[in-house]
Amino acid sequence: RSQMARPEEQDPAFMLAVLFGIEGAEVLKFVEDEENDAFAILIETPLQATSCPTCGGDVVAEDPVTQELPATTAGPKHLLIAWKRRQWRCSNPTCSQEPFAEQSDDVDAFIKRVKKR
């Protein structure tokens, strides 16, 4: 009798959580390089309620930046994860806060684990 894969095993966000500890991320793009036995994925972490870290006021979205995380492996393949990282600026013109980017404890933990290897 054939075994059917559970739906979550086919879900890229589930695989990111299980394999790399990055919970709830959405895979925006997946590129496989068969010649070099590698692949790359572009992720976006869940949107969090955000306020200015300096004054606590409202923020305005800026253009996101793409941050490449340290390369790792997934089975026999090399893996590069790029994070589409949101950025904001404070909407209060008198606030001294410079534009700032979103933070992710899961991404920070992934970076630490990969760098230890």
Side-chain angles (χ1 to χ4, degrees):
R1 107 184 163 167
S2 67
Q3 287 189 338
M4 291 183 56
R6 292 183 303 220
E8 67 267 14
E9 290 175 355
Q10 314 253 329
D11 178 9
F14 177 78
M15 297 310 295
L16 275 170
V18 169
L19 295 175
F20 309 112
I22 303 173
E23 295 281 342
E26 180 182 351
V27 175
L28 302 176
K29 190 174 186 179
F30 178 91
V31 179
E32 188 168 8
D33 180 353
E34 290 182 18
E35 187 176 307
N36 293 311
D37 217 15
F39 59 93
I41 56 177
L42 175 65
I43 66 168
E44 186 173 68
T45 52
L47 180 61
Q48 304 289 322
T50 304
S51 57
C52 176
T54 300
C55 73
D58 291 336
V59 294
V60 177
E62 296 276 289
D63 289 335
V65 295
T66 301
Q67 176 184 346
E68 288 187 2
L69 306 184
T72 188
T73 56
K77 295 192 181 265
H78 299 283
L79 169 66
L80 177 64
I81 298 174
W83 177 22
K84 183 179 174 185
R85 196 171 182 186
R86 297 173 188 93
Q87 294 193 112
W88 292 276
R89 64 178 166 79
C90 183
S91 63
N92 178 350
T94 62
C95 181
S96 63
Q97 176 66 46
E98 294 290 322
F100 62 99
E102 71 183 317
Q103 301 297 311
S104 168
D105 292 342
D106 288 351
V107 171
D108 290 345
F110 169 81
I111 292 169
K112 286 179 186 165
R113 280 193 307 276
V114 171
K115 285 187 173 181
K116 281 184 180 178
R117 293 182 189 169

